[in-house]
Amino acid sequence: MVHRAVCPGSFDPITMGHVDIFRRAAQQFDEMVVLVTGNPNKPSGLFSISERVELAEKAVADLPNVTVDWWGGLLVDYTTKHDIGVIVKGLRSALDYEYEVPMAQMNRSLSGVDTMFFMTNPKYGHVSSTLCKEVIKYGGDIHDVLPPDVEEAIQKKLSG
Ligand code: PNS
């Protein structure tokens, strides 16, 4: 039996905090999908869905059992369709916990899929896509918590 997991998120854009979770979680499963969620026909956020996928693909290129996909519907429909047994999420703090618990319980009640949580590496405990965009907007240097290419991609977007 193949043990598959999915790591869903908006990833607008991906950070090293995400990549650290993917790297650690990927060791526990045969295959893992990083799933960019959102509707390509209703753009929201800084990057389009395809741009987010492209940045994520570059960031996980060295992880052989990790692929990147996108999905515009219910997460549980994706997990059922692809025979994925586990949703993986990262937890930075109690705030994340409060946000994640109802989603984990809703997903489990909808389809039986379980959610596993990985504690964020303390090195990235303060990192979020939103804060990274804000810091770069005002000229801060944050390249050490972003995968290569992402800082430049944010700068280009914000200036263009
Ligand atoms: O990175 P985010 O925005 O915290 O991720 C939240 C996400 C994308 C995982 C959540 O909104 C989600 O699962 N969206 C897909 C639609 C869905 O299934 N919604 C019901 C969740 S209980």
Side-chain angles (χ1 to χ4, degrees):
M1 186 182 159
V2 180
H3 291 284
R4 291 192 188 90
V6 65
C7 204
S10 35
F11 305 125
D12 183 38
I14 196 155
T15 70
M16 285 310 291
H18 298 130
V19 176
D20 185 76
I21 300 282
F22 305 155
R23 190 179 300 281
R24 288 155 54 207
Q27 291 171 13
Q28 308 297 325
F29 300 95
D30 300 313
E31 297 171 7
M32 205 178 79
V33 182
V34 171
L35 190 69
V36 178
T37 59
N39 185 342
N41 299 319
K42 286 190 190 156
S44 68
L46 187 61
F47 291 96
S48 68
I49 300 294
S50 60
E51 290 166 334
R52 296 176 204 192
V53 167
E54 202 181 317
L55 290 171
E57 276 172 342
K58 284 186 191 160
V60 301
D62 67 326
L63 302 176
N65 62 337
V66 177
T67 53
V68 182
D69 197 2
W70 71 272
W71 185 245
L74 269 185
L75 180 57
V76 293
D77 289 339
Y78 187 91
T79 56
T80 303
K81 183 174 171 201
H82 295 275
D83 198 20
I84 291 173
V86 175
I87 297 168
V88 165
K89 293 287 191 81
L91 283 184
R92 285 166 299 196
S93 66
L95 262 185
D96 280 351
Y97 175 83
E98 297 288 342
Y99 172 68
E100 295 293 347
V101 167
M103 284 199 280
Q105 290 174 337
M106 178 60 83
N107 286 327
R108 188 154 199 281
S109 76
L110 285 170
S111 77
V113 70
D114 258 314
T115 302
M116 283 187 191
F117 294 100
F118 282 70
M119 294 313 301
T120 295
N121 184 333
K123 206 167 133 189
Y124 304 121
H126 59 298
V127 177
S128 69
S129 303
T130 304
L131 271 186
C132 288
K133 287 180 281 192
E134 169 128 349
V135 169
I136 289 174
K137 183 175 167 188
Y138 293 104
D141 176 2
I142 205 162
H143 71 273
D144 56 330
V145 298
L146 291 172
D149 301 328
V150 172
E151 185 177 35
E152 199 187 327
I154 296 175
Q155 280 163 347
K156 265 194 193 160
K157 269 274 166 193
L158 291 174
S159 66

